[in-house]
Amino acid sequence: MAAHVLVVEDDARLRALVREALAAAGHRVTDVGSGGDALAAVLAGDVDLLVLDLNLPDVDGIEVARRVHADGEVPILMLTARGDVASRVEGLYAGAADYLTKPFDVQELLARVHVRLRERRAGGDVVEHAGLRLHAATRTVAMGAASATLPELEFELLRLLLANPGRVFSREDLEVRLYGDDLPGSNTIEVFVSHLRRRLRDLGADDPIRTVRGKGYAVL
């Protein structure tokens, strides 16, 4: 069955563009132009993914994200014209699983929608990339016959990177995703990455984590 994507965007032309691109990719699409209509559509059920604009009339995107995140399991891909770190962090705090800054490339939007839906279908239980397999139920990483159990936050960091190959995550984004409001010390992410690299070497795996100077970390 095709996934049902709810598009929430007050710009009618952009909403139509996103709707048509998602429909052409084989998704069922409902589109609305306000936060109130978005909440009503989610409440009606049968929504697999919410593509949510940040600036909306009546109920803004941050508030919509908070309510949807609090009430259910619908993942949120947030669209925002605000590219600063503070705005992205605010969206992540509100419950967004991902964000895309306007103006955006439609192919990137489709790719991110595909990843979020794949994670939802799999329940996030197993992630595979570059010969590595992560199992959420046992919090293990495996390479061939070798495996190791990871501490919870190191596992979540590695799973986030492996599930989004090619995407660069800033240290601030990673801290918010791992810790929420209770932010850690300034070098915590660097320490986690160092530990993960050592553990992967011990498994005989090539290190897939790349440090992108001035930007953050990514898996290639």
Side-chain angles (χ1 to χ4, degrees):
M1 180 182 294
H4 183 196
V5 181
L6 174 62
V7 177
V8 188
E9 168 61 62
D10 66 334
D11 183 321
R13 292 179 63 184
L14 180 57
R15 187 168 72 244
L17 173 67
V18 173
R19 179 186 66 236
E20 290 166 9
L22 290 169
H27 303 297
R28 290 191 296 126
V29 185
T30 299
D31 62 287
V32 297
S34 72
D37 287 342
L39 291 170
V42 172
L43 186 62
D46 190 36
V47 174
D48 297 303
L49 177 69
L50 181 60
V51 177
L52 177 65
D53 183 25
L54 193 60
N55 296 314
L56 294 169
D58 61 21
V59 184
D60 70 20
I62 291 295
E63 183 60 25
V64 171
R66 288 196 183 104
R67 295 188 195 180
V68 170
H69 183 65
D71 292 341
E73 298 296 324
V74 178
I76 301 166
L77 169 57
M78 188 167 281
L79 304 179
T80 175
R82 308 174 196 168
D84 60 284
V85 171
S87 296
R88 298 198 304 268
V89 167
E90 184 182 23
L92 294 171
Y93 273 142
D98 200 356
Y99 62 84
L100 192 57
T101 303
K102 298 177 182 178
F104 55 84
D105 184 90
V106 170
Q107 292 305 311
E108 182 177 5
L109 171 67
L110 294 176
R112 294 200 181 193
V113 165
H114 173 75
V115 169
R116 299 280 81 82
L117 290 172
R118 182 181 64 194
E119 289 178 347
R120 180 175 173 83
R121 285 192 295 268
D125 186 60
V126 179
V127 176
E128 298 186 53
H129 181 74
L132 292 168
R133 299 184 312 283
L134 271 68
H135 299 266
T138 55
R139 216 167 61 227
T140 56
V141 56
M143 179 72 179
S147 66
T149 301
L150 300 178
E152 180 179 359
L153 293 181
E154 287 184 25
F155 179 87
E156 291 302 328
L157 173 58
L158 185 58
R159 177 163 67 166
L160 180 62
L161 293 172
L162 290 183
N164 296 276
R167 178 176 173 187
V168 179
F169 289 89
S170 70
R171 188 186 71 195
E172 292 84 358
D173 284 351
L174 294 172
E175 287 175 346
V176 169
R177 289 171 182 271
L178 294 179
Y179 288 93
D181 294 319
D182 188 19
L183 296 181
S186 61
N187 70 334
T188 300
I189 299 300
E190 289 86 345
V191 171
F192 282 174
V193 169
S194 177
H195 289 176
L196 285 170
R197 284 172 168 158
R198 186 175 66 249
R199 295 178 196 278
L200 294 177
R201 284 197 302 269
D202 290 344
L203 292 176
D206 292 332
D207 175 18
I209 304 173
R210 298 291 180 267
T211 301
V212 183
R213 184 169 220 147
K215 295 184 178 180
Y217 297 97
V219 158
L220 302 179

